[in-house]
Amino acid sequence: QAATSQLVLTERQPDCQPLTTPPKPKETPPADPWTPTSNLKMLIRAASPEIRSREQRRQLSDSSSEVLQTKHCLQEHLLGDEYEKSQPSRKEKSLGLLCHKFLARYPDYPSPSQKSYICLDEVTEELHVERRRIYDIVNVLESLHMVSHLARNRYIWHGRHNLPQTLQALKKVGEENKYIQQIQMIKKREYEHEFDADSERNEEMASSFGSSEQSEMSFVELPGVEFRAASVNGRKYKSLRVMSQKFVMLFLVSTPQIVSLEVAAKILIGEDQLEDLDKSKFKTKIRRLYDIANVLSSLKLIEKVHVTEERGRKPAFKWTGPKVLPNTQGRSLKSIPSKEQCSKALFPSKGKQNFTRHSSLIKLVKSIENDRRKIQSAPTSPVKISASSLPVFPNTISQFPAITKHQLEGQSKKAEEIQMKGALSSPEVVPKAEPSQQPALSQPLGVCPASHSSVSPVILPHPQSGVSYAIYLHPSQAHTVTTYSPGFMLQPLPCANVTGIKSNNSKVLNKITTEGGDAQRATDEPTKPLAAEERPDTKSETSSQRCLKRSQALQENNLIKRRKSDEESLDTSSTFFPSGYLIPLTHCTHGNKAECSNKEKAGVCSLQHTAYSSPITGVIPMPASELKTVNIPAFHITPLNIMLSPTSIAAAPVLSNSCLNSSSTTSAPNPSSSALNFMLQHIGLIPAGVQVPANPVLQHVPVSSQSENISHSSGSTNVQEGKVSKNTLQLDCAGLSGNTPSAPKEPQEPQAVTENFFRTPGGPNTEPSLSANSDGTQRISQGTLCIPQRKLEVSED
DNA sequence: ATCTCCCGCCATATG
DNA sequence: CATATGGCGGGAGAT
């Protein structure tokens, strides 16, 4: 198949990004195939007439579509020799092949000026496939914004122009969703696997997944990309699209960019619904993932590989697409100027379409309601909600994209290019726009959503401060920080299963091995070192030990869980809306402040923003891990902290890259960060001295979040690394499980900022918002209580 | 036996 | 109501 595919592929080049290569402007009318391979096609046809005839009886004279098939046939003949396979043989009907054919019809980089349209009827006819299959392909392409649904039977082909942006956005969202952590948890479970199902399950589910909920699904939109005008906005869930995006996110956030189907399926399931664990569901998910993987493979974004774990090798895929720069916020924003656009986006005349998503909205509402319940208990309920799920909100946001298509497109593209360039070259200071979330508020949900929206992945808030900030890392961190922030901590939660988590991380890392052998960029290193350093328990544990731990933990946990579960149910509030789209706010960003004012309504939002921006800038350490990180560290750290943070391995690997990048950029201490610190201190989360590490320069001390309540004296722990740290530290913090709590950087005094924080949401109370992470936070808190014990035990073991 | 994943029924969404 | 979409899972080909 490889051979065949190659041939087919020849036409398309691997990722060329606009930057380097000027896009080729060709476009092809759907009907006529021109394609570079046309010659080949002809040859093929000539060669294998028989085959064709057999294959398709109905097919007419269409030349274009058949080519591929014929080609394959030929090859086989050539290679294998004789039998012309009379019938296509399953492979020939594979989605991957079909996708190649489909892609062959359109240029990778269609000229912007002309839009090429895709007519499903034509395609199905020409490719001789059932419509259903085309939907599979198109849905995945849509998730990458390579096409947009215009109307019935009509799609617009964008090609790979949007790919860089899309990937960026997806990466960002992935970071926000803490996928890294989730992956770790899952792996951890694996080893633990079998034993006690229920209790564990619950625990895990609750803890890990619960958190996962936060992420919920949402479709990530691109600003510039057009949304299908009318028809499609709302619609049902689009699970395939969402799944596809999430799947891609997993690659983008994991350090070795390899994701096993099993893990991906579990994560996707977890997000959608906490509850079912069904095996059948799992199988279905796997099937879908194969479908998606086939399309992504055709796009050359991923490649199949196998990972060997303790048990055996498992199917997995490796990212082979373009590298995504570490996130930054800025890119699109810059280009996008205008408020105008934003406004448009927000309030598109079309209106209806925009709001199409009601379904999602509805969900949102539900989730909100739930949250409220939960929140009730909590002091600052409202805030939390908003905070909790960044992504979710997007629903509202999502609408934006629809607007200004044309304008945006052009701009967006340009912007992209610019971004790319900029990003590559240097860390610019990006002006970040702020998310404009609020506008969306119009909807009933209004406030909450809006705030959320702000959260939306895309946007990175960021600091006004001029210093370049670390470009990428921060965002994630920021998210993290934001997310969990202290707020939750405040809440008293029962202990969670923290223990398990931490151990997991380390293990997980170890386990994974890539057979493929490709290099995985940096990954390994971090792991080992970390491991060594890590606390004993994690690494040192042998499997047997683990078991012991587990059992112990379980017992303990069970108790805890029970409590927790109760609480959790409440807590979950943080989770959010199930489906929504994430829209990148990017364009909107510019006017942060202004927006803010608007936002005010939603107090929360404002808070969040502020929080984000500041923290993001530099301080915070890790994104993904947050939950764990924060939590765990806190606990552990409290007593031990120092050691741990560094140890936390996981973080390191992941972040490392980003860190590096960031380092260059480094952020200066931002006001925001300072503010953040301030807040934290205020709240008591952080000890006075500590702070968020944001910049290498500053200290990264992992703050222990001290957990909320607990006193922890530790704080300083890591300082040592300080120097080195720049990158590393951050990484560690982030990656490691616990390491870092969000670290708020140190204190600088950003008075102004601080004020905002407090005020917005309601002052200190707002904190809860941070907790939004929900799970993480909660857990953390829980962790604080319980964990220590366990850990001790474990370590002893 | 396991991995892949095609096929197409049938529920929904859209017009 | 007719179609367009697309969730979903049986079950068969590929290994």
Side-chain angles (χ1 to χ4, degrees), chain A residues 101-278:
Chain A
K101 294 179 188 176
F102 182 91
L103 294 174
R105 301 166 53 87
Y106 312 92
D108 284 354
Y109 296 93
S111 73
S113 60
Q114 300 180 349
K115 293 182 180 179
S116 33
Y117 293 87
I118 299 171
C119 174
L120 292 186
D121 294 310
E122 293 176 358
V123 175
T124 56
E125 198 176 301
E126 295 176 13
L127 300 187
H128 311 103
V129 290
E130 308 103 37
R131 208 143 213 235
R132 183 73 197 68
R133 305 280 69 84
I134 298 296
Y135 287 126
D136 288 336
I137 294 171
V138 169
N139 287 337
V140 174
L141 294 178
E142 246 189 313
S143 75
L144 297 174
H145 301 293
M146 288 181 66
V147 301
S148 320
H149 197 180
L150 261 203
R152 275 197 167 187
N153 285 315
R154 279 217 112 106
Y155 284 82
I156 292 183
W157 173 254
H158 301 305
R160 307 174 89 111
H161 285 302
N162 296 322
L163 214 49
Q165 290 184 342
T166 302
L167 297 178
Q168 251 281 324
L170 292 177
K171 183 172 184 178
K172 187 178 181 182
V173 175
E175 291 172 345
E176 293 178 349
N177 288 359
K178 307 179 216 160
Y179 278 133
I180 296 171
Q181 294 181 345
Q182 292 185 36
I183 292 172
Q184 293 177 341
M185 292 187 74
I186 289 174
K187 291 181 178 178
K188 162 198 274 141
R189 283 186 203 164
E190 292 179 0
Y191 355 94
E192 297 176 350
H193 57 173
E194 70 211 54
F195 68 120
D196 59 53
D198 38 15
S199 62
E200 256 210 60
R201 281 260 163 134
N202 296 338
E203 239 195 320
E204 294 176 0
M205 290 292 293
S207 63
S208 62
F209 282 125
S211 58
S212 63
E213 296 176 15
Q214 63 188 44
S215 51
E216 263 315 328
M217 46 164 39
S218 41
F219 185 74
V220 177
E221 300 283 349
L222 279 185
V225 178
E226 10 201 303
F227 248 39
R228 42 281 162 130
S231 52
V232 190
N233 266 344
R235 204 130 238 196
K236 36 184 173 181
Y237 341 170
K238 325 184 163 181
S239 73
L240 203 98
R241 281 182 274 259
V242 174
M243 270 183 76
S244 172
Q245 292 190 330
K246 288 182 176 179
F247 190 42
V248 170
M249 286 179 209
L250 294 177
F251 288 99
L252 301 179
V253 303
S254 17
T255 303
Q257 295 186 299
I258 296 173
V259 176
S260 72
L261 283 176
E262 189 181 331
V263 170
K266 288 179 179 174
I267 290 178
L268 296 188
I269 291 172
E271 285 189 353
D272 292 26
Q273 301 143 13
L274 346 174
E275 66 273 357
D276 36 336
L277 312 173
D278 299 340

Side-chain angles (χ1 to χ4, degrees), chain A residues 19 115 119 130 134 140 287 297 305 326 375 386 399 457 485-486 503 632 684 686 709 716 726-727 736 744 748 775 795:
Chain A
L19 300 179
K115 293 182 180 179
C119 174
E130 308 103 37
I134 298 296
V140 174
R287 287 193 204 108
S297 294
V305 298
I375 293 168
S386 59
Q399 300 170 351
S485 53
S503 62
I632 296 169
I686 303 171
N709 351 340
S716 54
K726 32 180 153 196
N727 303 335
L736 299 187
Q748 308 171 355
D775 295 354
S795 60

Side-chain angles (χ1 to χ4, degrees), chain A residues 58 85 100 127 358 364 369 411 466 489 517 534 652 662 683:
Chain A
R58 53 174 166 176
K85 50 319 218 62
H100 276 121
L127 300 187
H358 28 298
L364 227 174
E369 292 177 356
Q411 294 178 350
M489 311 203 49
E534 295 182 61
S662 65
I683 295 168

Side-chain angles (χ1 to χ4, degrees), chain A residues 286-577:
Chain A
I286 293 287
R287 287 193 204 108
R288 269 346 113 211
L289 285 173
Y290 275 116
D291 292 340
I292 294 167
N294 281 325
V295 175
L296 294 178
S297 294
S298 293
L299 290 169
K300 293 190 168 182
L301 292 179
I302 62 173
E303 199 172 279
K304 187 173 178 182
V305 298
H306 285 86
V307 293
T308 335
E309 288 187 356
E310 309 171 343
R311 263 296 165 274
R313 67 208 275 262
K314 305 193 324 189
F317 289 88
K318 176 183 72 177
W319 181 255
T320 56
K323 282 136 194 129
V324 178
L325 12 178
N327 279 308
T328 311
Q329 31 309 47
R331 50 161 177 195
S332 57
L333 301 180
K334 304 171 184 177
S335 60
I336 308 169
S338 44
K339 302 173 178 182
E340 295 176 357
Q341 293 181 348
C342 295
S343 62
K344 287 182 178 180
L346 298 178
F347 316 96
S349 58
K350 299 172 183 179
K352 151 193 175 183
Q353 303 159 353
N354 300 328
F355 295 77
T356 339
R357 286 182 214 136
H358 28 298
S359 60
S360 60
L361 293 177
I362 294 172
K363 291 181 180 179
L364 227 174
V365 174
K366 292 179 182 178
S367 62
I368 292 170
E369 292 177 356
N370 294 337
D371 293 348
R372 289 179 185 172
R373 287 185 279 154
K374 297 175 181 179
I375 293 168
Q376 299 172 348
S377 61
T380 56
S381 55
V383 174
K384 289 166 121 193
I385 297 170
S386 59
S388 58
S389 57
L390 308 180
V392 179
F393 323 15
N395 301 346
T396 47
I397 299 167
S398 58
Q399 300 170 351
F400 302 53
I403 306 172
T404 63
K405 302 172 181 179
H406 307 289
Q407 300 172 353
L408 294 180
E409 284 184 349
Q411 294 178 350
S412 64
K413 292 179 181 178
K414 293 177 182 178
E416 292 178 354
E417 294 177 358
I418 295 170
Q419 295 174 351
M420 300 285 302
K421 294 176 182 178
L424 296 176
S425 64
S426 65
E428 301 175 19
V429 172
V430 176
K432 14 245 22 290
E434 301 193 349
S436 47
Q437 0 349 46
Q438 311 43 1
L441 298 183
S442 55
Q443 303 170 351
L445 298 181
V447 177
C448 300
S451 60
H452 300 301
S453 61
S454 60
V455 177
S456 66
V458 177
I459 309 166
L460 300 181
H462 116 16
Q464 348 33 6
S465 55
V467 178
S468 48
Y469 332 114
I471 304 171
Y472 310 101
L473 298 181
H474 305 314
S476 58
Q477 294 177 345
H479 299 294
T480 314
V481 173
T482 350
T483 333
Y484 31 81
S485 53
F488 276 83
M489 311 203 49
L490 297 178
Q491 304 171 352
L493 297 182
C495 312
N497 1 313
V498 177
T499 11
I501 296 169
K502 38 176 187 177
S503 62
N504 296 343
N505 300 341
S506 62
K507 290 181 178 180
V508 173
L509 296 177
N510 298 342
K511 291 181 178 180
I512 304 168
T513 307
T514 306
E515 291 179 354
D518 292 348
Q520 340 34 7
R521 305 130 193 174
T523 58
D524 301 351
E525 300 176 350
T527 317
K528 293 180 180 180
L530 293 177
E533 295 179 358
E534 295 182 61
R535 0 166 172 155
D537 40 332
T538 327
K539 287 200 162 179
S540 61
E541 309 172 357
T542 55
S543 60
S544 62
Q545 291 178 344
R546 295 176 188 172
C547 298
L548 295 177
K549 288 170 80 180
R550 295 175 190 170
S551 62
Q552 294 176 350
L554 292 176
Q555 296 173 353
E556 294 179 358
N557 293 341
N558 293 343
L559 297 177
I560 295 168
K561 290 179 180 179
R562 294 172 187 171
R563 295 177 186 174
K564 229 181 150 187
S565 60
D566 300 347
E567 293 181 358
E568 284 181 356
S569 57
L570 298 179
D571 296 349
T572 16
S573 55
S574 56
T575 50
F576 300 8
F577 349 84

